[in-house]
Amino acid sequence: QVQLVESGGGLVQAGGSLRLSCAASRTILSINNMGWYRQAPGKQRELVASISNIGSTNYRDSVLGRFTISRDNAKNTGYLQMNSLKPEDTAVYYCNARRSVGFGDYDSWGQGTQVTVSS
C-alpha cells in the first residue's frame, strides 16, 4: 500500500488546461497500474485514464485526444495533463495505484482534487 496525494486542481474556463499530479509516498516501480478516476455529484466514480508499469495507456472515449496520462518513476509521481477542458469534465479527480495479484487487486487512493470547468 502507498499513500497518494493529488494536486493541481482548480477552476478553469472551458477550453483551458490543467495538469494534475499524484505524488506517492514510496517507489511506484511495484505498482502495476496508476490511474485517474473522477466522480461528479450524483454519479458513480469512473475511470478517466490509466497507465501500466510498462507504459500501456487506457482512456475513456470522452477524453481521448484531450487528456494525457503519464508517470515518472524516478519522481514517484503520476500526472494527468488535461487540455480543451469542458464543463462536463467537472468532478473530483482521484489518483489510484493498483497492484495486481492472481486473486485480486490492491488499491490505494488519494484524497481527491476538485476540477471545475466554467462555461
Side-chain angles (χ1 to χ4, degrees), residues 24-97:
S25 61
R26 60 174 175 83
T27 180
I28 60 174
L29 290 173
S30 63
I31 303 300
N32 297 106
N33 286 276
M34 295 192 72
W36 289 92
Y37 291 72
R38 66 187 181 189
Q39 187 167 24
K43 296 184 179 294
Q44 291 187 325
R45 188 172 297 186
E46 63 183 21
L47 175 68
V48 179
S50 65
I51 184 168
S52 75
N53 56 355
I54 60 171
S56 299
T57 58
N58 181 53
Y59 298 91
R60 72 180 300 107
D61 289 344
S62 61
V63 307
L64 275 172
R66 299 190 296 120
F67 291 10
T68 302
I69 189 170
S70 62
R71 61 193 289 175
D72 188 334
N73 293 334
K75 296 181 179 179
N76 295 334
T77 303
Y79 303 95
L80 183 68
Q81 178 68 48
M82 305 185 295
N83 299 324
S84 302
L85 283 162
K86 304 175 180 179
E88 51 262 45
D89 295 318
T90 295
V92 177
Y93 284 70
Y94 298 89
C95 180
N96 168 262

